[in-house]
């Protein structure tokens, strides 16, 4: 009898456990669905670009950089033949492309801007300029015609005429590209859940399944579809749906080439920074960095040669764009000097290694769950916590304490510290956290 009761109790407990799991799952889905729908409608309404009225044309000052003394901002540039002194260029348009280590470079820019006390053109209420709509000056926080800004660097869909009316005439235009196959893999992972047509892709390896027959799944009119086809070309304000042989593709590449003085490459990030230092008369200290927004290895898709070829074919415009600027990049390296470049890259890596030993607990990035300070938590994609971050060392010496914290600070937290109101971004962050629950 006791055995039977035990069996019945076990049966009842099992059923209760299953029911409890089912009810919890149903309630969670209902709550998440309601919250997500309500918040998305609210965010959409609030973030829909406003009607842009014609703004008066007021000439932008040559520069509004704060320069207390000229000697304070002089840099000495050495090459194999001569040494000369120059003044750092502080008027910069950084075209922040997606999934291209641009958050790492943004951290460099933020620190440079603080050092030189320049004026940033920041968005208002969110961390981008109403992407994917085209950039408008009116999207800049507290903008008034004739105001002077030195640096603009948040995500936007590039709109050259509007940008040129915001910044001084001698502004340096900088951007960064990444191998399109690797970029596509990263974008598919990070944004895939936000693109509705991916929801119907079967199997565990949705990326591989999609690349086997992209046209079967891709819907150019689908919400957020631009994230998964020629994203670089789209970021520059160009048509990402063109045939790669369309003359407008070459025209677009020429447009970018004429506008941007330096196009950096993720795959050669240190070399890119050295070229930047040379072009803008920066110092080696300005280039120090830690890699931010890196993914843990278990979430990386391994491309076979066949899948890589398919990814490049699917993103053929971006591949053509990348090949063009890969050639121009190495021409700049040739002009700089390969031996000189190798020495400077070695010096930068040495300095970064020294900063790692000073700043980072354990000397490496850790998974989100192991990050001790909330202020050091990076932004995560919906549905998982795949982006890694860092722990600051305890008892960092006073000389390095502030620099270490700034170098490790994620983008959202740094923007907040610089005074940007990110209430829409933070609202979406709370929704995302609930979904990741």
């Amino acid at each position: 009898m006791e055995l039977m009761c035990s069996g019945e109790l076990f049966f009842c407990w099992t059923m209760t456990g299953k029911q409890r799991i089912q009810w919890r799952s149903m309630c969670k889905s209902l709550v998440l669905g309601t919250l997500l729908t309500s918040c998305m409608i609210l965010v959409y309404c609030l973030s829909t670009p406003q009607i842009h009225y014609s703004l008066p044309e007021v000439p932008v000052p040559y520069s509004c950089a704060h320069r207390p003394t000229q000697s304070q901002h002089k840099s000495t540039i050495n090459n194999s033949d001569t040494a000369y002194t120059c003044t750092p260029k502080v008027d910069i348009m950084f075209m922040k492309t997606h999934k291209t280590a641009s958050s790492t470079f943004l951290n460099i820019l933020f620190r440079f801007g603080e050092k030189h006390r320049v004026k940033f053109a920041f968005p208002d209420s969110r961390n981008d300029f109403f992407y994917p709509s085209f950039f408008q000056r009116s999207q800049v926080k507290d903008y008034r015609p004739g105001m002077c800004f030195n640096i603009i660097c948040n995500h936007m869909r590039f709109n050259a005429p509007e940008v040129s009316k915001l910044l001084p005439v001698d502004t340096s235009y900088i951007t960064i590209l990444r191998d399109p196959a690797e970029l596509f893999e990263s974008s598919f992972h990070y944004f895939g859940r936000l693109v509705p047509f991916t929801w119907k892709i079967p199997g565990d390896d949705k990326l591989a399944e999609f690349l086997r027959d992209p046209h079967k799944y891709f819907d150019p009119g689908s919400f957020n579809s631009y994230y998964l086809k020629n994203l670089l070309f789209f970021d520059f304000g160009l048509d990402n749906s063109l045939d790669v042989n369309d003359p407008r593709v070459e025209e677009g590449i020429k447009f970018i080439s004429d506008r941007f003085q330096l196009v950096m490459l993720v795959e050669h990030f240190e070399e890119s920074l050295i070229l930047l230092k040379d072009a803008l008369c920066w110092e080696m200290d300005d280039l120090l960095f830690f890699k931010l927004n890196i993914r843990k290895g278990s979430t990386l898709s391994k491309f076979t040669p066949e899948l890589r070829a398919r990814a490049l074919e699917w993103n053929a415009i971006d591949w053509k764009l990348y090949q063009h600027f890969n050639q121009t990049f190495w021409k700049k390296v040739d002009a700089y000097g390969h031996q000189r470049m190798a020495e400077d890259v070695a010096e930068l890596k040495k300095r970064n290694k020294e900063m790692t030993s000073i700043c980072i607990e354990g000397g490496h990035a850790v998974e989100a769950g192991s990050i001790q300070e909330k202020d050091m938590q990076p932004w995560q994609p919906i549905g998982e916590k795949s982006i890694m971050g860092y722990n600051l060392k305890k008892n960092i010496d006073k000389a390095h304490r502030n620099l270490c914290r700034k170098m490790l600070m994620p983008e959202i937290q740094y923007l907040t510290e610089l005074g940007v109101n990110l209430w829409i971004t933070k609202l979406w962050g709370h929704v995302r956290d609930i979904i990741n629950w």
Side-chain angles (χ1 to χ4, degrees):
M1 180 68 174
E2 187 175 339
L3 184 61
M4 284 180 61
C5 289
S6 298
E8 288 172 359
L9 284 171
F10 175 77
F11 175 76
C12 293
W13 180 87
T14 304
M15 291 298 292
T16 303
K18 288 181 178 179
Q19 289 175 342
R20 188 164 57 247
I21 292 170
Q22 289 173 347
W23 275 104
R24 183 177 184 274
S25 178
M26 288 173 62
C27 290
K28 179 180 176 182
S29 298
L30 181 61
V31 171
L32 290 180
T34 303
L35 280 173
L36 179 59
T37 302
S38 301
C39 290
M40 286 300 292
I41 292 172
L42 175 63
V43 171
Y44 176 79
C45 292
L46 291 169
S47 62
T48 299
Q50 61 273 38
I51 297 173
H52 302 290
Y53 298 98
S54 179
L55 294 170
E57 300 297 325
V58 180
V60 177
Y62 187 73
S63 182
C64 55
H66 176 82
R67 299 180 186 280
T69 62
Q70 287 297 316
S71 60
Q72 182 176 337
H73 296 288
K74 296 290 185 180
S75 296
T76 300
I77 305 297
N78 295 291
N79 59 33
S80 56
D81 301 316
T82 59
Y84 61 94
T85 301
C86 58
T87 302
K89 295 182 181 179
V90 297
D91 299 313
I92 300 163
M93 190 282 153
F94 175 57
M95 178 57 210
K96 189 178 190 293
T97 48
H98 284 87
K99 313 315 298 174
T100 55
S102 57
S103 291
T104 299
F105 186 70
L106 211 64
N107 185 277
I108 293 173
L109 268 182
F110 287 163
R111 286 183 281 117
F112 177 83
E114 287 193 291
K115 172 183 174 181
H116 290 273
R117 298 171 63 183
V118 304
K119 187 170 180 60
F120 285 94
F122 283 131
D124 194 12
S125 74
R126 46 193 277 181
N127 63 318
D128 62 46
F129 290 103
F130 291 90
Y131 186 89
S133 65
F134 285 98
F135 172 76
Q136 300 288 335
R137 284 171 290 157
S138 58
Q139 297 163 351
V140 174
K141 183 178 183 293
D142 300 327
Y143 173 76
R144 294 185 305 276
M147 287 185 68
C148 181
F149 295 94
N150 301 110
I151 296 177
I152 189 168
C153 53
N154 291 80
H155 277 307
M156 67 166 68
R157 191 161 186 220
F158 190 57
N159 183 355
E162 283 292 296
V163 172
S164 66
K165 294 170 186 174
L166 182 76
L167 300 171
V169 293
D170 65 338
T171 294
S172 300
Y173 283 67
I174 311 295
T175 191
I176 187 166
L177 304 181
R178 182 181 183 183
D179 178 291
E182 300 300 322
L183 184 148
F184 179 75
E185 186 276 334
S186 180
S187 186
F188 196 97
H189 167 83
Y190 197 89
F191 298 114
R193 291 180 177 87
L194 296 174
V195 185
F197 71 72
T198 64
W199 302 347
K200 63 184 179 182
I201 300 175
D204 294 329
D205 193 346
K206 291 179 179 289
L207 175 63
E209 175 60 28
F210 176 83
L211 286 174
R212 288 189 186 97
D213 188 3
H215 295 285
K216 179 180 177 181
Y217 301 106
F218 187 76
D219 176 5
S222 178
F223 183 66
N224 286 340
S225 63
Y226 48 83
Y227 283 125
L228 300 184
K229 186 170 178 64
N230 296 312
L231 179 56
L232 291 172
F233 212 62
F234 184 86
D235 280 350
F236 284 105
L238 303 168
D239 187 352
N240 64 331
S241 65
L242 296 172
D243 183 274
V244 68
N245 296 313
D246 190 305
R248 287 172 290 180
V249 172
E250 286 290 351
E251 291 169 6
I253 293 174
K254 185 179 185 304
F255 160 75
I256 297 169
S257 184
D258 291 344
R259 174 64 65 170
F260 288 83
Q261 286 80 45
L262 177 62
V263 178
M264 303 185 292
L265 301 178
V266 172
E267 291 75 19
H268 305 285
F269 193 67
E270 284 91 354
E271 290 88 346
S272 295
L273 292 179
I274 298 302
L275 291 179
L276 178 88
K277 171 180 173 292
D278 185 59
L280 302 188
C281 190
W282 283 18
E283 299 174 344
M284 190 67 80
D285 281 347
D286 299 324
L287 307 181
L288 300 177
F289 71 93
F290 299 130
K291 292 181 180 179
L292 302 179
N293 279 11
I294 56 176
R295 278 163 61 195
K296 58 184 180 183
S298 60
T299 68
L300 299 174
S301 299
K302 307 302 180 190
F303 268 145
T304 63
E306 179 187 5
L307 283 179
R308 173 177 166 78
R310 287 178 180 271
L312 293 177
E313 181 182 2
W314 178 244
N315 297 278
I317 297 177
D318 277 1
W319 182 224
K320 193 170 189 175
L321 177 73
Y322 182 86
Q323 288 178 301
H324 172 87
F325 285 106
N326 185 55
Q327 291 179 351
T328 62
F329 179 86
W330 290 109
K331 287 179 182 178
K332 289 180 183 293
V333 173
D334 289 342
Y336 189 83
H338 285 268
Q339 180 62 34
R340 181 183 170 206
M341 175 62 76
E343 291 171 358
D344 287 349
V345 166
E347 175 64 20
L348 178 57
K349 288 183 176 180
K350 176 187 173 185
R351 300 280 290 278
N352 280 332
K353 188 175 181 180
E354 290 171 354
M355 290 305 298
T356 298
S357 66
I358 293 170
C359 301
I360 300 176
E361 187 70 40
H364 56 77
V366 297
E367 294 187 14
S370 299
I371 299 173
Q372 296 164 6
E373 288 188 57
K374 185 178 180 181
D375 286 346
M376 290 294 155
Q377 284 283 353
W379 187 267
Q380 298 290 346
I382 282 184
E384 59 181 88
K385 293 189 175 181
S386 57
I387 305 301
M388 303 175 73
Y390 299 92
N391 286 316
L392 271 171
K393 267 190 174 181
K394 305 294 189 295
N395 302 318
I396 299 173
D397 65 89
K398 188 175 180 181
H400 293 97
R401 193 177 303 150
N402 187 56
L403 176 59
C404 286
R405 178 168 286 277
K406 291 291 179 70
M407 288 182 69
L408 292 173
M409 190 175 290
E411 178 182 337
I412 300 300
Q413 289 89 322
Y414 211 143
L415 283 168
T416 300
E417 183 159 309
L418 291 172
V420 184
N421 180 1
L422 298 174
W423 75 269
I424 290 180
T425 297
K426 290 178 179 178
L427 175 62
W428 173 238
H430 292 314
V431 175
R432 178 213 60 197
D433 290 342
I434 292 170
I435 294 171
N436 288 351
W437 167 47

